[in-house]
């Protein structure tokens, strides 16, 4: 129904309404056909001045694909700005699937999982929108006003995450933006330029232009500058070498190498008996002589999904001072950059102390994940069986003995984190 007010406003100018009630330019048919014919794994970018018809063309494509029964997902970061739901709750699917989607979108940072969407930066909301699109699946991803309000560094990171996902599968991306400089960041197979008045021009096969970065020796102060971005913000107990990734004058990524811990049961998988023979002193000398541990890898959020972490690990392996290198990654199952760099993954074994405490928690009707919530941890500390097993667990290893004498809730929270985390161990033997 068209109101009398609308008719009165348009009639003096000779403007007519289409059957769907819209007044405005029709999308260019050749451009619409070219976009609809994109093969799997392709990217298209619609650019042009504001008001030229980019959004109209994208909407027409979406309507056409919907009529054809194609699986269409629309990336809508602006809606997330009003959402108070937490990040991990917004990504559909089973937990492992959701965490993997977040990692692929460049949000594989533990500190962000419980943040509310409305608390995220614009760049993080675009990455969250991408993670939701990845998790939901679909044949087509459509993104209007793509990266319109982002600074160029953040936009480059979002483009890299999106392009990597599209190229690795059978999906297609069509993004519309007034920023033509997104083309070298996405490397689109098709670029549609929409001029004021509705005329369009098509260009194919625009090259991807990777940013220039270099990897060089750094210092612990480089890690300190980025430490707050890591879920374990404190310094590692030791450090023997620091590598940093630099773009221009900015440090965008840091890797820290440390001396290995004396005891790690999983080492017998890649190096059977090598570091378990002899007395403690002999083992310590052999470990320090033959092994280094990558204890921290942290990347500026704007540069995630651009291969910075993988390249740092590759650089560390190629210039390693010892025959062997190891690493333990809490997010290894969802963000396997150590594996991509050439390291071999091994499952972390469950210790006897952890297994015993897990059985006690199950008997009390609790899970390890419950204990990371403060009031649940305090509740666990009031159960006599759990309290006894928490005391035994805290005194079972050097790593946890510092907890002995702490309040029960504090011990329970630490135990919950330890038992719930199933890291992936990595080894590289030259």
């Amino acid at each position: 129904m068209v109101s009398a007010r609308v008719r009165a406003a348009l009639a003096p100018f000779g403007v007519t309404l289409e059957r769907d009630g819209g007044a405005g330019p029709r999308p260019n048919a050749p451009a619409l056909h070219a976009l609809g014919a994109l093969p799997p794994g392709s990217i298209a970018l619609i650019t042009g001045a504001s008001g030229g018809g980019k959004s109209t063309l994208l909407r027409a494509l979406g309507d056409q694909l919907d009529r054809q029964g194609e699986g269409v997902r629309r990336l809508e970061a602006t809606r997330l700005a009003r959402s108070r739901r937490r990040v991990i709750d917004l990504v559909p699917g089973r937990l492992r699937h959701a965490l993997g989607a977040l990692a692929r979108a460049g949000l594989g940072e533990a500190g962000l999982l419980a943040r509310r969407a409305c608390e995220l930066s614009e760049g993080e909301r675009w990455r969250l929108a991408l993670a939701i699109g990845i998790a939901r699946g679909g044949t087509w991803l459509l993104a209007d006003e793509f990266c319109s309000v982002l600074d160029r560094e953040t936009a480059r990171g979002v483009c890299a995450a999106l392009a990597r996902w599209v190229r690795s599968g059978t999906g297609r991306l069509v993004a519309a933006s007034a920023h033509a400089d997104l083309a070298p960041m996405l490397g689109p197979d098709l670029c549609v330029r929409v001029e004021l008045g509705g005329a369009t021009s098509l260009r194919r096969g625009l090259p991807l232009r990777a940013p220039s970065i270099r990897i060089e020796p750094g210092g612990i102060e480089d890690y300190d500058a980025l430490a707050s971005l890591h879920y374990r913000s404190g310094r590692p107990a030791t450090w023997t070498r620091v590598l940093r990734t630099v773009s221009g004058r900015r440090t965008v990524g840091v890797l820290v190498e440390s001396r290995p811990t004396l005891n790690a049961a999983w080492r017998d998988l890649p190096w059977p008996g090598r570091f378990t023979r002899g007395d403690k002193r002999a083992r310590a000398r052999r470990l320090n002589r033959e092994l280094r541990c990558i204890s921290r890898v942290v990347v500026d959020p704007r540069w995630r999904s651009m291969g910075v972490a993988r390249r740092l690990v590759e650089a560390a392996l190629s210039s390693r001072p010892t025959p062997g290198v190891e690493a333990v990654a809490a997010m290894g199952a969802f963000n396997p950059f150590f594996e991509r760099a050439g390291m071999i993954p091994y499952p972390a074994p469950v210790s006897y102390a952890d297994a015993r405490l897990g059985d006690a928690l199950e008997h009390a009707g609790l899970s390890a994940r419950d204990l990371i919530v403060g009031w649940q941890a305090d509740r666990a500390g009031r159960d006599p069986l759990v309290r006894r097993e928490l005391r035994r667990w805290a005194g079972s290893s050097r790593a946890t003995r510092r907890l002995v004498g702490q309040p029960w809730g504090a011990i329970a929270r630490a135990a919950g984190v330890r038992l719930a985390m199933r890291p992936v161990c990595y080894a590289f033997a030259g």
Side-chain angles (χ1 to χ4, degrees):
M1 184 70 180
V2 180
S3 70
R5 185 181 178 87
V6 171
R7 294 196 298 270
L10 297 183
F13 304 101
V15 176
T16 60
L17 293 175
E18 302 298 330
R19 292 184 63 184
D20 63 0
R26 293 183 178 182
N28 182 280
L32 187 59
H33 175 76
L35 290 169
L38 282 176
S42 297
I43 296 172
L45 177 65
I46 305 171
T47 65
S50 297
K54 300 184 299 299
S55 297
T56 300
L57 178 57
L58 191 66
R59 279 196 302 272
L61 175 64
D63 293 342
Q64 174 180 292
L65 295 172
D66 285 335
R67 289 193 298 271
Q68 295 171 355
E70 299 279 0
V72 180
R73 302 294 181 192
R74 293 167 173 83
L75 298 185
E76 297 177 309
T78 52
R79 286 190 179 183
L80 295 172
R82 299 187 296 273
S83 174
R84 293 190 56 78
R85 294 183 66 191
R86 300 185 189 277
V87 167
I88 192 60
D89 290 333
L90 283 163
V91 184
R94 301 183 68 176
L95 180 61
R96 186 182 182 88
H97 178 67
L99 289 171
L102 286 165
R104 295 182 74 177
L107 282 181
E109 178 57 54
L112 293 173
L113 300 180
R115 294 271 299 278
R116 301 183 190 277
C118 60
E119 298 170 349
L120 301 178
S121 68
E122 291 285 354
E124 289 167 341
R125 279 197 285 270
W126 266 110
R127 290 181 183 271
L128 177 56
L130 172 56
I132 294 170
I134 292 173
R136 286 177 175 166
T139 309
W140 294 79
L141 277 181
L142 307 184
D144 199 6
E145 297 295 335
F146 180 60
C147 295
S148 294
V149 297
L150 303 186
D151 64 84
R152 297 300 87 190
E153 276 191 314
T154 302
R156 186 182 292 112
V158 173
C159 287
L162 192 47
R164 177 181 293 176
W165 177 75
V166 173
R167 301 297 189 197
S168 66
T170 58
R172 304 163 177 87
L173 165 70
V174 182
S177 175
H179 295 284
D181 64 349
L182 293 178
M185 301 180 192
L186 280 171
D189 304 279
L190 174 66
C191 189
V192 179
R193 173 79 185 180
V194 181
E195 306 293 347
L196 290 173
T200 62
S201 58
L202 308 180
R203 293 181 62 191
R204 298 185 183 272
L206 296 182
L208 178 67
R209 204 174 298 162
S212 175
I213 60 174
R214 66 184 187 276
I215 296 175
E216 62 188 26
I220 196 63
E221 65 278 0
D222 294 304
Y223 170 73
D224 291 340
L226 297 179
S228 63
L229 303 174
H230 196 274
Y231 72 97
R232 297 175 65 187
S233 57
R235 285 181 175 183
T238 65
W239 58 90
T240 58
R241 185 169 68 141
V242 176
L243 298 178
R244 66 177 186 174
T245 303
V246 179
S247 174
R249 297 182 179 180
R250 183 196 299 272
T251 298
V252 298
V254 173
L255 178 148
V256 181
E257 279 184 1
S258 301
R259 295 194 180 276
T261 58
L262 182 60
N263 299 306
W266 72 271
R267 283 194 193 119
D268 262 351
L269 297 174
W271 298 288
R274 180 63 185 170
F275 301 113
T276 54
R277 295 194 310 268
D279 60 31
K280 184 181 293 187
R281 184 170 296 179
R283 294 201 310 270
R285 284 197 298 265
R286 193 178 302 120
L287 277 167
N288 287 325
R289 185 173 63 248
E290 299 182 8
L291 199 60
R292 287 293 179 269
C293 174
I294 298 176
S295 56
R296 297 285 193 277
V297 179
V298 56
V299 177
D300 185 317
R302 293 168 294 186
W303 285 76
R304 289 173 186 166
S305 304
M306 300 177 68
V308 172
R310 173 185 55 80
R311 290 178 62 176
L312 274 168
V313 175
E314 288 175 343
L317 298 179
S318 65
S319 62
R320 63 191 183 281
T322 56
V325 179
E326 68 178 19
V328 179
M331 289 287 290
F334 317 110
N335 192 10
F337 62 86
F338 284 106
E339 190 173 350
R340 294 192 189 109
M343 301 186 78
I344 299 174
Y346 296 90
V350 179
S351 70
Y352 172 76
D354 288 355
R356 176 170 175 146
L357 179 57
D359 288 342
L361 291 173
E362 184 177 356
H363 187 270
L366 294 166
S367 72
R369 292 174 182 171
D370 292 332
L371 301 188
I372 69 171
V373 181
W375 68 268
Q376 289 276 40
D378 292 337
R379 171 193 160 198
R382 292 194 293 269
D383 185 293
L385 170 65
V386 174
R387 195 162 57 235
R388 184 191 72 199
E389 292 303 319
L390 283 171
R391 183 186 296 112
R392 182 188 294 270
W393 176 84
S396 65
S397 72
R398 181 178 298 178
T400 57
R401 280 179 200 142
R402 60 182 175 78
L403 296 168
V404 175
Q406 294 290 317
W408 293 114
I411 301 175
R413 282 191 290 274
V417 170
R418 170 79 167 267
L419 270 62
M421 183 175 69
R422 285 290 171 259
V424 178
C425 305
Y426 293 92
F428 181 88

